[in-house]
Every structure is written in C-alpha cells, then in structure tokens.
Amino acid sequence: MNSEQTKSNNSALSTLITVFFFWGFIGASNGVFIPFCKAKFGLDQFQSQLIDFAFYGAYYIGALLLFIFSSAAKRDILNGWGFKKGIIYGLLISTFGAALMILAVTQGSYLFILGALFIVALGFSLQQTSAQPFAASLGEPHTASSRLNLAGGINSLGTTIGPIVVSFALFGVIAGVNIEEFAKKPNSLDSMITLYMAVGGLFLLAAALFHFSKKLPSGKSDDSFEIANKALKTLITITVLLIIVFGYIFSRYEDPEFIERFITNHEIDYLGLGLTISTLLIVVVGLLFANKTAQKNPEGWGAMKYPQLVLGMLALFTYVGVEVTIGSNLGELLKTEDFGAITGPALAPFMSMYWGSLMIGRWAGAISVFNPSSQMRKILLIVVPYVAFGVVLTANAISGQDITPLYGYAFVIVFQIVGFFLGKDQPSRTLMIFGLLGAIAMLIGLLTTGTIAIFAFMSGGLFLSIMWPCIFSLGIAGLGKYTSQGAAFLVMMILGGGIIPPLQGKLADVIGIHTSYFIPVLCFAFIAFYGWKVIGILEKQGIGHDIEVGGGH
C-alpha cells in the first residue's frame, strides 16, 4: 500500500470514526430522553421504554430487510453497492430521520417521535452493517482489529458525552430542574429542534465527505451469498409474531377503559405483562427450535445449524438488551426516595458514568492489539481504566455537574481490573467471569439502596464493556463459508435492546422499578452460561475457544 493511499485511508478512517460516535451518542442519550418523555406525555414505564423498542428494533428490521432482499436477488446486495455507498445511504436515511424528528418535536407527538427515531436507527443499521467491514478494509488485514478497537473506543466516547449534551439541550445548564414541572412547559421540547438540526447536519456532512472522497476504496469483499431459506422463513415468522403481539399491546393504549384502569388508577395489568413476556419467548423459542431442527436436517438452514451461533445470537440479544435496559430504566430508579430522588439534569452524571463504564472497559480491552510486553500490559490494565474514568469525570465537570458523588466509583473499577487479569484475553473465560461479576453486582443493587446500589447498577457497564467482541468471535467460530451470514444474524440480535427494556418497564409498572432489576441478573447469568457452554460445543467440533479479542463494537 503506497503512502498516498495510506494517507487517503487514514482520512477515511477519521471520517468513519465519527459515524461510530453518532451511534453511541444517540443511543446513550435515550437514557435522559426517556424520563423526560415519560413526564411530558404522561406515559407509564412500559410506554417510555418504547423509545428503545423503536431505536433498537430498527437495527433488527434493517438487517433483516437486507437479508430478505439479498436472498431474493441471490447475491449480497450491500456488497454489490460497496460498503462506502452503504455508509452513505445509511447516513442519508438517518438525515431524513433527523428531519422527521424536528417535525415530530414541532407537532409534540410521542408516536411521531418514535417513528422518527426508528428512521434514524434504520440508517444506523445500514451504517453499522457497512462500517465494520469497511474499517477492516482500510489497511492491512493484520491491523484491522486496532482500527475496529479505535472505532469502538470513539463509540464509547459518544455514549459518555450523549447524556450530558442531551441533558443540556433539554434542561439548559441550570441544575436542580424539576423534570415534571419542566416537561409541562409548552416549549419544553423546542431545544430538541436545535439538537436534531445539528445532528442532521452532521449526518449530511459525513455523507458528503464520503461521497466526494473519490480516492476512497468502495469497500467490497467476496460477493458470494449463501442461501438459507428455512432460516429466512423462521426470522420472518418471528418478526410477524412480534408485530402481532406488540400491535395488540399498543392498541390497548387507545382504549379509554384501559387508560382509566391501568394508567390512571394503577391497577396491575397482568395481561400486558404476559404479552410482553411472550415477545421474549417468541425470539428465544423460535431460535432454539430452528437450531434443533437444523441439526437434524441442515439443508436450507445455513449458519443456523451451528449451536455456537444460535446460542451466540441469544447471548448477543441478551447482552444488548441488558446494556440498554440498565441505562434506560436508571432514570426512573434514581428519582425514587430510596435512591436520592435525583431528577432532571442531575441524572446526567450517573447516566454518563454508566455509559462511561463501557468506555472504561473497552479502552482496557483494546490494550492487547498494540502488542505491549507482558509487564507493560499488566501496568496498562491498571492505568488505562483510571485514565478513562478521569475522562468521564472531566466531561461531567466541564458541563458544570457536581461530580463528587462519583469519586467513590474508583473503588468499583478494581473489580473490573481483576476480571481482566482472570480472563486472560480468552473470550469464553472472560464471558464467564464478567457475566458472574455482573450478576453479583445486580444482586447487590437489588438487595441494597442508596449509593451502594447505584454504584452496583452502574458497574453493569464495566462488566458488559467487552462482551460484544467475545460473543461475536465465539458465535462465528468454525462457521467457514457461513461466517458472513452468521455475522449478519448476530447483528440482527441488536433487537434485544428493543425487547428487554420494555419487558423490564412493564415489570416495573407491576412490581416496582427497583425489584424489576432482577431482569439484568438473569441476563448476566445467561451470558455467563453461554461462556461456559460454548467451550464444550467448540471442543466437540474440534475448534479452539481461546481466540484473543480486543474490546468494543
């Protein structure tokens, strides 16, 4: 690769990294936007979590549509465009979504806001499917992991800054705003117009930079496409069932009698809870049935015949779901008396530290790709997490927030550092250890209140931080010609962020927000189980499971 091409590719990587930042920025800022919308539109906790349903559901729908169209055309459509064009198209879709968001905010319609957020995330789905292989193509294959880890670190920086910026956009710089009183103001949504004008402008600018950079590679790989008609039919069936169930759940909110009984009078909605649980069962049972059937007769099932992939899909579904649900329900939890009655802009430092915890872990997880000596690696595993911790504190301090309640969190980071040393860069071992640590942290949060519980729940970010690359590498291990298809199936499982948060939200309406956090306990436990189970699966197939991984997605 000549120096001119390298320079051009470095410029492309710089532009590409901004796209990773967008995903983190918008996704994490939902944690501040959700409690605001709950107060603004008079929603219950389930309805407020539909922000996550719209956002992460769009990732699934986008990836599924690509798979459907590619199956119909019998070729990889995205590869036919080239990953560069895929990113441009995705950015343009997100720009359109940002314009719709401005219109939705002007109209003051929650349903319209959900629709606009869906379009923004639909563009993100196309960007994410294109950007990761495109980043890998911008240089030598052996340095691909460093580029992806760099992009993952910037993604995490977006998740740290997002809650702070959106808190500013909504509430201004004045601390102590009462979120219920503020939300009732007629113009309380106006500042979101400015925010999405800026975001939409940045989407458009990034698309223009990619389009007019003529020296950039189109980013294409092997265009072979493996047909898997039975897998496709299963995914479509799961999607249709989810649409029917959620459609019925939404229709109940239009019934005045339902509103009076369950929203106004706070009666327990057991049917709604049962229906919401059924959405989880549709995904879990559907995928397990597919794998069981595929192992008896693999023809037409493609990658779904591999148990490491199907269980990996469920693990990734669970990982994204628990990552999102901890943060999205945190605002509702912190406003209770047991957790300090924290509301409005005062939520931002805690939201930022939760998402910043993912950055702390991903920066530490990226150390290995730079091939430090054994001694230096040990030093960096201790130093880097605290450098990242300092970045989160500094970002909050600059924004004018009181960061003194976060100082004690430095002690919690020690447990993550210990986890890294015990994990030894082996994905299966790391998943088991971090899954168990996460489950223990959630149990501590369930059994206590106040600062200890808050730190316990926020530490979920520390233990989730490096799970994406661990699950991904284990899920596609040994898939051979089905690797690309398996990777597409795994990306679809971002759907977990649209299913698990509404489930916890519905549980919170029935049993209380604090008790509803037993859902993350179960999620962490399943991820730990996958880390243990996949060892036996891969050994049975004669495949090693000690693949070295970095951190971040």
Side-chain angles (χ1 to χ4, degrees), residues 136-221:
S137 73
L138 292 175
E140 301 299 334
H142 69 273
T143 59
S145 60
S146 353
R147 292 190 292 279
L148 289 172
N149 276 295
L150 175 61
I154 298 300
N155 172 269
S156 296
L157 186 62
T159 67
T160 304
I161 294 173
I164 300 170
V165 174
V166 171
S167 183
F168 268 136
L170 280 170
F171 309 116
V173 297
I174 302 169
V177 173
N178 182 296
I179 195 166
E180 277 76 18
E181 290 179 8
F182 182 86
K184 288 173 185 174
K185 294 180 180 179
N187 64 345
S188 59
L189 273 169
D190 287 359
S191 51
M192 293 301 287
I193 296 174
T194 307
L195 177 68
Y196 270 89
M197 283 178 69
V199 167
L202 288 170
F203 289 153
L204 204 55
L205 178 62
L209 285 171
F210 271 96
H211 177 70
F212 291 111
S213 298
K214 300 298 184 185
K215 293 181 180 180
L216 290 187
S218 60
K220 295 188 178 185
S221 58

Side-chain angles (χ1 to χ4, degrees), residues 93-111:
I93 292 169
S94 293
T95 304
F96 179 60
L100 287 179
M101 179 64 84
I102 294 167
L103 190 57
V105 168
T106 306
Q107 297 293 319
S109 165
Y110 183 56
L111 283 176

Side-chain angles (χ1 to χ4, degrees), residues 452-472:
I452 292 175
I454 293 171
F455 282 5
F457 287 134
M458 288 196 309
S459 74
L462 294 172
F463 306 123
L464 286 163
S465 58
I466 43 70
M467 286 185 176
W468 173 282
C470 289
I471 296 169
F472 215 95

Side-chain angles (χ1 to χ4, degrees), residues 14 157 186 358 420 449 491 526 531 538:
S14 302
L157 186 62
L358 285 122
F420 272 118
T449 57
V491 170
F526 177 76
L538 294 180

Side-chain angles (χ1 to χ4, degrees), residues 6-86:
T6 300
K7 190 174 179 181
S8 174
N9 285 356
N10 287 341
S11 171
L13 184 61
S14 302
T15 307
L16 182 63
I17 282 172
T18 63
V19 178
F20 279 76
F21 179 86
F22 289 147
W23 305 337
F25 180 91
I26 300 293
S29 64
N30 288 344
V32 172
F33 197 42
I34 284 169
F36 171 79
C37 284
K38 183 177 181 182
K40 177 72 177 177
F41 299 106
L43 311 173
D44 64 14
Q45 190 62 8
F46 168 78
Q47 286 176 298
S48 73
Q49 296 301 309
L50 294 181
I51 286 176
D52 285 330
F53 172 76
F55 188 78
Y56 292 97
Y59 275 89
Y60 170 73
I61 294 296
L64 179 62
L65 286 174
L66 264 180
F67 186 60
I68 290 171
F69 294 145
S70 294
S71 296
K74 296 184 178 178
R75 63 183 179 85
D76 190 333
I77 288 179
L78 179 57
N79 191 67
W81 294 340
F83 299 129
K84 174 183 167 182
K85 281 188 178 178

Side-chain angles (χ1 to χ4, degrees), residues 289-299 301-302 304-306:
F289 170 78
N291 180 244
K292 191 172 180 64
T293 308
Q295 288 191 55
K296 292 178 181 176
N297 180 15
E299 187 179 350
W301 285 103
M304 278 197 187
K305 65 188 175 186
Y306 294 96

Side-chain angles (χ1 to χ4, degrees), residues 322 326-327 330 333-334 339 350 353-354 357 405-406 408-413 415 434 436-464 514 517 520-521 524:
V322 69
I326 292 173
L330 199 56
L333 181 74
L334 294 180
F339 286 83
F350 297 96
M353 183 53 74
Y354 168 68
S357 294
L406 300 177
Y409 195 66
F411 172 72
V412 183
I413 295 171
F415 294 97
F434 277 58
L436 288 172
L437 287 172
I440 291 167
M442 297 302 105
L443 282 171
I444 292 171
L446 271 176
L447 299 173
T448 59
T449 57
T451 303
I452 292 175
I454 293 171
F455 282 5
F457 287 134
M458 288 196 309
S459 74
L462 294 172
F463 306 123
L464 286 163
H514 189 187
Y517 267 80
V521 178
F524 275 112

